[in-house]
Amino acid sequence: MANKVLLLLLIIAICSNFVISNAGKDKDDKKKGDLMENFYEDDCPGVEEIVQSVTKSHVSTNPNLPAKLLRLHFHDCFVRGCEGSVLLNSAANSKSEKEASGNKNLAGFEVIDDIKAAVEKECPGIVSCADILALATRDAVSLQYGRPLWDVLTGRRDGIISLASEAEANLPSSFSNLPVLKKNFAKKGLSVRDLVVLSGAHTIGVGHCNFFNHRLFNFTGKGDQDPSLDPTYASFLKTQCKGPSDSTTTVELDPKSSLSFDNHFFQILKEHKGLFVSDAALLTDKRAEKIVDELLSPESFLDEFARSMEKMGSIDVLTGRKGQIRKQCSVAN
C-alpha cells in the first residue's frame, strides 16, 4: 500500500512539473524582450478593441490618417525608442521633439489623444500612450485588409523627456544618401533590409515640396535637375511645386496609389520616381537594390514589412518600472 502511495505521489509531481514547465514555455513564446502578447488582458482586457474602434472611426473620415500615424510611430521609435516622447508638448524652457525641423509636419496627435481618453474611461492609469500609438498605427494601416498586418506586443511605458535636439540628431533625413541612412538604422539595431523594407511605408502619404525641391530646381547648386529622377516625372512635379521655396504644397509619395498600402512604391522606385533623395538612394547599392527587387512581390513585401515593423516597435522600449503611464499623452504626469 505504501509503495502505491509513493508511486502516486511521484506521478503527481512529474505531471505538475510538466504543466509548470509548459506554462512557462507558452508565456515565453509570446514575449519579445519585456513586451508580450495580451499584456493588458487582466487589467484592461478590452483595450485593443477600443483602440481599433476609435482608429477606424477616424480613418473613415480621414483616409490620409494611416500614413500620418505610421510616420508618427516611426519618428517616435527613432528618438529615445518607442516610448511616446514624440507626443509630448514643449515645456517652458525646453523644445520637445515636435519642434524639430523634421517633425514640423507630423500629424495624428488628436487621434492618439481621443484613443487615450476612451481608454482612460475604461481603465484609468493602465495603458501607456506608447502602446496606444503602436496599436493605432497597426490598426490604421491594416484597415484596408480587414486583418492585422503585423503583431504588436505590448507592455511599453511612457518616457518623460522629449528634446528637439535629440530628434534632429537621430531622425533619418529625406536628404540623406545610403551610407548615412545605414548608420542611422544600424544605431537602432536595424539592418539594411529593414531600411529598404521600411522605406516601403512611402507607398502611402504625401511629401512637402521643400523636401525634394532641390532635385527639381537646383540639385548641384547650378540650377540643374537631379539626373537620377525620371525626366517626365520631374516635369510633372515642377507643375505641382511653385518653385524652390515652396514649403506648403504636397504631392503623393506614390503617384496615383498614395492611399493604398501595398508594394507599389518599389515599382515606381525602379522607374526612378522615388520622391526623396533617400528613396533614390536605395538604388545606389547592389545589395539594397536586390532587396528592392525582392519586394516587387506583394506577398514578400507584406511579410517583410510585418517583420521589420515588429522589430522597429521594440527599439529601446521602457518596461517594468521604467518611465510612467501618462494620464495625458501630451504631458508627463
Side-chain angles (χ1 to χ4, degrees):
M1 182 67 180
N3 288 337
K4 288 183 178 179
V5 171
L6 287 173
L7 180 60
L8 181 59
L9 289 173
L10 181 61
I11 292 172
I12 291 172
I14 292 172
C15 291
S16 297
N17 286 334
F18 178 79
V19 170
I20 292 171
S21 173
N22 276 274
K25 183 177 187 301
D26 289 342
K27 188 174 182 180
D28 288 342
D29 285 345
K30 295 180 180 181
K31 294 181 68 175
K32 184 173 184 179
D34 291 315
L35 301 179
M36 61 188 296
E37 284 185 8
N38 302 316
F39 179 82
Y40 299 106
E41 64 182 342
D42 293 328
D43 298 326
C44 192
V47 61
E48 296 199 21
E49 288 74 18
I50 295 172
V51 173
Q52 185 179 61
S53 176
V54 179
T55 302
K56 183 177 180 179
S57 176
H58 276 277
V59 173
S60 68
T61 59
N62 182 4
N64 294 305
L65 185 60
K68 295 179 185 301
L69 289 180
L70 191 54
R71 186 166 180 248
L72 193 59
H73 184 35
F74 180 89
H75 282 226
D76 180 40
C77 291
F78 262 74
V79 184
R80 289 187 166 264
C82 308
E83 38 73 87
S85 57
V86 75
L87 305 173
L88 288 168
N89 290 336
S90 294
N93 300 311
S94 176
K95 290 185 177 181
S96 72
E97 293 171 32
K98 290 180 180 180
E99 303 299 317
S101 58
N103 283 341
K104 290 290 180 68
N105 297 316
L106 287 180
F109 297 103
E110 73 286 351
V111 178
I112 303 303
D113 289 339
D114 283 355
I115 297 172
K116 178 63 171 175
V119 171
E120 285 294 300
K121 286 182 180 179
E122 184 70 20
C123 34
I126 300 296
V127 182
S128 69
C129 297
D131 272 344
I132 287 173
L133 177 55
L135 289 166
T137 299
R138 188 270 311 275
D139 292 344
V141 174
S142 301
L143 195 58
Q144 74 178 80
Y145 288 90
R147 62 177 177 83
L149 290 182
W150 65 89
D151 293 330
V152 175
L153 302 183
T154 45
R156 298 168 187 78
R157 287 171 65 86
D158 298 321
I160 60 173
I161 297 172
S162 182
L163 300 172
S165 58
E166 291 187 348
E168 301 283 6
N170 285 278
L171 287 174
S173 169
S174 60
F175 300 98
S176 294
N177 59 28
L178 196 64
V180 171
L181 292 170
K182 285 180 179 179
K183 288 181 181 178
N184 285 146
F185 276 67
K187 286 179 182 177
K188 307 303 174 184
L190 298 174
S191 66
V192 174
R193 178 169 290 275
D194 294 317
L195 161 60
V196 178
V197 170
L198 292 174
S199 295
H202 287 173
T203 190
I204 52 176
V206 297
H208 286 74
C209 286
N210 55 306
F211 285 100
F212 61 87
N213 259 343
H214 69 296
R215 300 186 73 196
L216 306 176
F217 302 108
N218 197 26
F219 188 59
T220 64
K222 300 177 181 180
D224 55 342
Q225 183 175 294
D226 184 349
S228 72
L229 188 62
D230 177 79
T232 302
Y233 185 49
S235 296
F236 165 74
L237 291 174
K238 287 180 180 178
T239 69
Q240 304 300 301
C241 298
K242 299 178 178 63
S245 60
D246 184 355
S247 62
T248 57
T249 305
T250 61
V251 299
E252 293 179 293
L253 290 175
D254 187 351
K256 300 180 180 179
S257 184
S258 64
L259 294 179
S260 177
F261 187 80
D262 50 36
N263 72 323
H264 191 254
F265 166 78
F266 296 103
Q267 296 177 34
I268 62 107
L269 187 63
K270 294 289 288 185
E271 297 168 4
H272 300 283
K273 295 177 182 178
L275 203 58
F276 302 134
V277 167
S278 59
D279 294 330
L282 302 180
L283 301 181
T284 63
D285 174 272
K286 288 184 178 180
R287 180 184 174 194
E289 186 171 11
K290 182 176 183 294
I291 298 169
V292 169
D293 290 338
E294 292 170 5
L295 297 173
L296 293 172
S297 160
E299 294 79 13
S300 294
F301 168 63
L302 291 179
D303 288 344
E304 295 265 12
F305 194 81
R307 280 192 284 270
S308 290
M309 282 299 293
E310 289 164 15
K311 190 175 176 181
M312 188 193 81
S314 66
I315 295 175
D316 296 334
V317 293
L318 301 178
T319 57
R321 296 187 178 183
K322 297 177 182 177
Q324 61 182 219
I325 303 298
R326 284 188 227 136
K327 296 176 182 177
Q328 296 181 53
C329 292
S330 60
V331 294
N333 295 344

